[in-house]
Amino acid sequence: VLTQKDSSIDLPHIDDLYEIGTVVRVVKIYPMPDGSKSIVVQGMHKARFVSLVHEEPYLFGNTERLEDSEVTASEGDEVVAMQQNIRNLFKRLSDLVPHFNPEQLSLIMNTEEPSAFAYLVSALVNLPVPEKQELLETTGVHERLGSVTVALTKNIQRSELSQKIQNEVQDTINKTQREYFLRE
């Protein structure tokens, strides 16, 4: 599975896709009311597109498996600490933005393997596609966890700012309504 560089293109060609993606296993296929299908997939491993086999009836190509670099012994304790920090940030974000379901939160809290953990969090957090692609292309787990921490922190800051603005607007509305009723 490769991500489109521009999602507005209905029938992308190979040049319209990023070259690094994920080999997936189809878990479930759902028929949609409009006749299309929605699928749930599970990522197996990262891969790089190598060559195009054919474009019709769909894009099909050869890939090579890509491995993340291993966590070094010197990074081990820091990686564990980074994961715990990300769990805390994710919990804080889920309190601010209630679109995460309990299963997603549980999955984040219970995933131990650092690389899978980083991919899972980055998949669930609202990030622009180029940022998600950059995380996918990062081979160092330590570096990816650092980038996920920054992305989560930015998401939290935006959510807190949005909430602050909404509270100020609501306060202004309430004050205007009180003043109106006091004059009447």
Side-chain angles (χ1 to χ4, degrees):
V1 175
L2 299 172
T3 303
Q4 285 183 229
K5 295 174 183 174
D6 179 354
S7 63
S8 68
I9 298 172
D10 289 334
L11 297 171
H13 295 283
I14 201 63
D15 293 337
D16 299 319
L17 306 173
Y18 289 99
E19 77 171 26
I20 296 184
T22 306
V23 173
V24 300
R25 177 176 66 88
V26 175
V27 176
K28 185 128 178 131
I29 300 174
Y30 297 99
M32 302 303 286
D34 66 358
S36 65
K37 298 195 184 316
S38 181
I39 63 171
V40 176
V41 297
Q42 177 184 16
M44 306 300 285
H45 58 84
K46 192 164 41 172
R48 176 188 317 277
F49 168 78
V50 177
S51 62
L52 184 65
V53 174
H54 61 75
E55 289 194 57
E56 297 297 330
Y58 50 84
L59 294 173
F60 184 83
N62 294 311
T63 63
E64 68 178 338
R65 184 181 182 132
L66 297 176
E67 299 292 341
D68 289 329
S69 60
E70 295 291 321
V71 175
T72 65
S74 63
E75 293 174 328
D77 289 341
E78 188 172 354
V79 163
V80 170
M82 291 172 86
Q83 284 181 264
Q84 188 54 51
N85 184 51
I86 290 169
R87 283 185 182 96
N88 293 339
L89 290 170
F90 192 86
K91 175 71 172 99
R92 189 165 149 205
L93 182 61
S94 70
D95 290 341
L96 289 168
V97 183
H99 71 267
F100 298 109
N101 64 47
E103 291 81 17
Q104 290 171 321
L105 191 56
S106 176
L107 196 53
I108 293 293
M109 296 304 158
N110 294 308
T111 300
E112 295 297 326
E113 199 281 313
S115 186
F117 176 80
Y119 287 130
L120 178 62
V121 173
S122 61
L124 294 175
V125 174
N126 185 20
L127 297 174
V129 169
E131 284 184 43
K132 285 191 177 198
Q133 184 67 31
E134 187 176 321
L135 287 170
L136 179 65
E137 293 179 9
T138 303
T139 58
V141 175
H142 184 272
E143 183 183 351
R144 189 175 323 108
L145 288 170
S147 296
V148 168
T149 301
V150 170
L152 269 172
T153 302
K154 285 180 182 177
N155 255 273
I156 290 168
Q157 289 171 343
R158 280 192 297 266
S159 296
E160 287 175 340
L161 182 58
S162 176
Q163 196 171 54
K164 179 183 175 200
I165 291 168
Q166 185 59 40
N167 289 341
E168 288 172 357
V169 168
Q170 190 61 50
D171 288 347
T172 301
I173 290 170
N174 292 343
K175 180 180 175 186
T176 303
Q177 287 176 342
R178 279 193 305 272
E179 289 172 356
Y180 176 79
F181 287 117
L182 288 175
R183 280 185 284 175
E184 293 297 313

